[in-house]
């Protein structure tokens, strides 16, 4: 069942809400020993038009940001993904009213909310639950949130988030898996981030927006979702300048008000479709994008020999010649995004020559390589560097998604491969890609989501 239907069912029956009629539905399948997987018959050239949804990494910050005001906010262009369902569920559990107005528009009201605690069961399901720390601290001057979970990409500390909260006058304590924040009074301050961190930058913004006086965040991250959070908060009456540069200035305001705001298009979803079009030798118009946000991806695709035509709010990706090798190093924005590394590495297995991919953000972002090898890829990994010998072809195989973007890479591999690919553990993929099967089928992919009892699968394998 789509995540969004779960929300619709929640909002219609808020008074008799039970675990089973909301988020429980998402987990029910797994509890009942049901296995979901994508089955892809590869080798079809993608062609046609595909629509990109709102950005996951913006939506998961904008939703907790609603806590900063006492009036309803309407968010449009909200993606239908499980990370959004989890964020909304946390809001609901804390006492906010959550209501879908249509498929992609949600009204959230945190009016009169008193709760400042996000328990383990809710927070552990996604990394971005850390945004509740900044938002609750900004609203109540205190917060109690379980340490976040998330994709296994290596060490994922939150020391820079805590450094920012301390600079604003909060005492931070971690005990029994909970992060406790408390401030007598939040005061604007100078915050220098030792590493460029998306999460710490956004959390600092959330906490500082209602603090007394001026906050300056230096060495801030510059991703499009940071600009989106600033725009959203400014539309609520905040005073934030410089988002999108490495110095963000926030003049604290007493109160924020309700607003209606449309989530920025997801540049990683767009990039994933761009690479899928390239990997299948296709011709796809990718709509609802901001081409400027895609520049690092576009420029690498062009180097590989892929044509990218840019329009106002769409890009056409098409192939009319061989794909050639290139080197990639991931970096914070505007560098090449780490969240596109697995997808682009997959494309390079299909290109002529030897490519080198260096991961510059996460410790362990090559875990998907073993799965790609099962499909015939020739990749060797040494620490943060992968050497890819382009073999020009992949073959279908049963594989497992080990995280969200690894899963996206396997889908691309499956679409380009000869034969059938079965991808398990697709709940990782559904955290960040909404209506993926429908979207890909519309441009000619042969992909299905199959649900089968685990016992049957095991019998099939052992039999
Ligand atoms: C966000 C994205 C994620 C993306 C990543 C980098 C969300 C919900 N997730 O993750 O998809 O891959 O940006 O673009 O938006 N670091 C520290 N201390 C901290 C925080 C981070 O050392 O307190 C380090 C991390 O270990 C990592 C680097 O900084 O090496 C970047 O992490 P960060 O930008 O914070 O990633 P997230 O915000 O968690």
């Amino acid at each position: 069942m789509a995540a969004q239907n779960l929300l619709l069912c929640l909002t219609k029956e808020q008074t008799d809400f039970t675990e089973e009629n909301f988020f429980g539905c998402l987990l029910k399948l797994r509890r009942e020993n049901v296995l979901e997987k994508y089955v892809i018959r590869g080798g079809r050239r993608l062609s046609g038009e595909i629509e990109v949804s709102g950005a996951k990494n913006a939506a998961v910050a904008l939703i907790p940001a609603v806590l900063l005001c006492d009036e309803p906010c309407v968010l449009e262009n909200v993606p239908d993904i499980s990370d959004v369902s989890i964020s909304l569920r946390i809001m609901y559990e804390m006492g906010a009213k959550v209501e879908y107005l249509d498929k992609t528009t949600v009204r959230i009201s945190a009016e009169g909310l008193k709760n400042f605690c996000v328990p383990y069961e809710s927070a552990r399901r996604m990394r971005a639950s850390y945004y509740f720390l900044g938002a609750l601290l900004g609203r109540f001057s205190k917060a109690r949130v379980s340490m976040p979970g998330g994709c296994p990409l290596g060490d994922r500390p939150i020391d820079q988030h805590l450094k920012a909260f301390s600079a604003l006058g909060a005492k931070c304590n971690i005990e029994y898996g909970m992060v406790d924040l408390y401030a007598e009074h939040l005061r604007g301050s100078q915050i220098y981030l030792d590493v460029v961190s998306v999460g710490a930058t956004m959390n600092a913004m959330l906490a500082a927006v209602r603090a007394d006086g001026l906050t300056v965040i230096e060495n801030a991250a510059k991703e499009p979702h940071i600009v989106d959070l600033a725009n959203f908060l400014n539309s609520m009456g905040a005073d934030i300048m410089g988002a999108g540069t490495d110095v963000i200035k926030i003049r604290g305001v007493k109160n924020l008000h309700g607003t209606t705001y449309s989530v920025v298009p997801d540049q990683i979803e767009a990039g994933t479709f761009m690479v899928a079009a390239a990997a299948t030798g296709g011709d796809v118009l990718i709509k609802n994008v901001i081409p400027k946000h895609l520049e690092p991806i576009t420029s690498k695709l062009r180097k590989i020999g892929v044509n990218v035509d840019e329009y106002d709010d769409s890009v056409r990706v098409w192939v009319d010649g061989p794909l050639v090798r290139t080197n990639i190093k991931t970096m914070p924005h505007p560098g090449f995004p780490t969240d596109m590394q697995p997808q682009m590495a997959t494309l390079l297995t299909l290109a002529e020559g030897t490519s080198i991919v260096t991961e510059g953000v996460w410790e362990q972002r090559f875990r998907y390589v073993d799965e790609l090898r099962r499909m015939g890829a020739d990749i060797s990994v040494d620490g943060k560097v992968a050497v890819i010998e382009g073999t020009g072809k992949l073959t279908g195989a049963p594989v497992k998604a080990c995280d969200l973007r690894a899963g996206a890479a396997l889908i691309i591999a499956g679409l380009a491969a000869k034969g059938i690919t079965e991808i398990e553990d697709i709940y990782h993929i559904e955290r960040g890609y909404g209506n993926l099967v429908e979207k890909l089928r519309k441009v000619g992919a042969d992909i299905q989501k199959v649900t089968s009892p685990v016992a049957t699968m095991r019998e099939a394998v052992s039999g």
Side-chain angles (χ1 to χ4, degrees):
M1 189 188 296
Q4 176 201 318
N5 291 343
L6 297 174
L7 260 297
L8 283 170
C9 104
L10 161 76
T11 52
K12 276 198 212 104
E13 298 164 23
Q14 267 181 350
T15 45
D16 35 351
F17 165 74
T18 67
E19 180 77 352
E20 291 307 298
N21 70 5
F22 175 53
F23 184 73
C25 302
L26 270 185
L27 304 177
K28 207 169 148 207
L29 290 174
R30 292 179 72 202
R31 273 209 302 270
E32 289 176 358
N33 272 353
V34 168
L35 187 74
E36 290 185 318
K37 57 183 181 171
Y38 292 142
V39 179
I40 304 172
R41 192 181 298 270
R44 291 189 165 212
R45 191 175 161 268
L46 300 189
S47 91
E49 296 183 357
I50 200 162
E51 188 96 17
V52 170
S53 301
K56 166 179 109 54
N57 289 348
V60 295
L62 267 52
I63 292 167
V66 172
L67 287 168
L68 288 162
C69 84
D70 224 7
E71 292 177 3
C73 291
V74 175
L75 287 175
E76 300 168 341
N77 201 31
V78 176
D80 182 9
I81 55 176
S82 64
D83 269 13
V84 160
S85 304
I86 295 167
S87 302
L88 291 172
R89 172 186 156 98
I90 295 174
M91 293 292 281
Y92 174 82
E93 284 177 343
M94 294 182 69
K97 290 198 184 88
V98 178
E99 185 186 4
Y100 264 99
L101 304 181
D102 64 36
K103 283 184 166 192
T104 56
T105 308
V106 62
R107 178 164 53 209
I108 311 167
S109 173
E111 204 181 339
L113 191 125
K114 300 265 185 304
N115 193 349
F116 60 92
C117 182
V118 180
Y120 172 71
E121 260 316 305
S122 312
R124 75 184 176 93
R125 299 192 195 285
M126 65 166 189
R127 175 81 184 159
S129 54
Y130 54 42
Y131 290 128
F132 284 88
L133 281 168
L136 288 167
L137 184 64
R139 174 155 176 167
F140 297 115
S141 295
K142 56 186 173 183
R144 189 169 157 73
V145 180
S146 175
M147 281 289 278
C151 273
L153 307 175
D155 195 19
R156 298 190 74 170
I158 58 163
D159 57 303
Q160 297 305 307
H161 304 234
L162 301 183
K163 179 180 175 182
F165 299 144
S166 300
L168 296 168
K171 291 202 167 52
C172 309
N173 192 30
I174 302 178
E175 258 181 5
Y176 306 110
M178 299 298 283
V179 185
D180 269 302
L181 305 176
Y182 173 77
E184 282 289 333
H185 194 73
L186 285 174
R187 280 192 195 82
S189 175
Q190 194 89 6
I191 301 169
Y192 181 84
L193 297 177
D194 303 328
V195 290
V196 180
S197 159
V198 171
T201 303
M202 300 209 337
N203 246 337
M205 289 163 70
L206 291 166
V209 81
R210 287 177 59 178
D212 265 353
L214 181 70
T215 296
V216 180
I217 308 171
E218 288 183 88
N219 201 26
K222 297 180 274 206
E223 270 68 3
H225 27 293
I226 287 170
V227 180
D228 208 41
L229 177 63
N231 289 343
F232 176 58
L233 292 170
N234 283 343
S235 78
M236 295 162 85
D239 183 356
I240 304 175
M241 282 179 308
T245 75
D246 53 12
V247 181
I248 301 177
K249 292 188 179 158
I250 304 166
R251 205 168 288 282
V253 294
K254 282 250 166 315
N255 288 305
L256 296 178
H257 53 74
T259 187
T260 296
Y261 188 84
S262 184
V263 179
V264 71
D266 195 317
Q267 101 258 32
I268 303 300
E269 188 194 12
T272 302
F273 293 146
M274 290 168 83
V275 174
T280 60
D283 183 349
V284 180
L285 184 70
I286 298 152
K287 293 163 69 174
N288 187 32
V289 301
I290 299 177
K292 176 96 191 139
H293 293 170
L294 302 173
E295 271 174 7
I297 303 164
T298 300
S299 109
K300 279 296 168 194
L301 283 174
R302 285 181 177 149
K303 275 207 160 152
I304 296 171
V306 178
N307 303 297
V308 183
D309 303 338
E310 296 177 352
Y311 305 100
D312 286 348
D313 59 359
S314 60
V315 288
R316 177 185 168 209
V317 177
W318 53 288
V319 176
D320 62 352
L323 303 179
V324 293
R325 61 157 300 280
T326 194
N327 295 337
I328 290 174
K329 176 162 189 196
T330 68
M331 276 182 270
H333 191 80
F336 188 85
T338 174
D339 287 354
M340 280 301 300
Q341 183 259 95
Q343 302 90 313
M344 203 59 111
T346 303
L347 182 64
L348 290 171
T349 67
L350 300 166
E352 286 169 10
T354 307
S355 302
I356 296 175
V357 174
T358 308
E359 173 56 44
V361 178
W362 297 114
E363 293 294 327
Q364 292 173 27
R365 200 150 207 180
F366 286 118
R367 292 165 71 240
Y368 64 91
V369 162
D370 280 342
E371 301 300 296
L372 279 186
R373 285 195 191 114
R374 294 169 59 74
M375 300 179 70
D378 181 350
I379 307 178
S380 54
V381 177
D382 186 1
K384 290 178 152 192
V385 180
V387 179
I388 302 170
E389 301 294 345
T391 55
K393 78 167 188 155
L394 294 167
T395 48
V399 287
K400 274 189 186 188
C402 61
D403 65 54
L404 168 58
R405 306 303 171 185
L410 293 175
I411 287 181
I412 291 167
L415 292 171
K418 195 162 181 271
I420 294 177
T421 298
E422 297 190 1
I423 306 175
E424 284 184 23
D425 290 352
I426 61 171
Y427 58 90
H428 285 298
I429 302 171
E430 294 182 349
R431 285 187 42 226
Y433 294 89
N435 308 315
L436 189 62
V437 169
E438 294 83 339
K439 286 185 183 187
L440 288 173
R441 286 178 73 90
K442 201 176 149 244
V443 287
D446 185 344
I447 176 170
Q448 290 181 58
K449 181 170 166 177
V450 174
T451 305
S452 50
V454 172
T456 314
M457 287 296 297
R458 291 218 179 98
E459 278 158 20
V461 172
S462 59

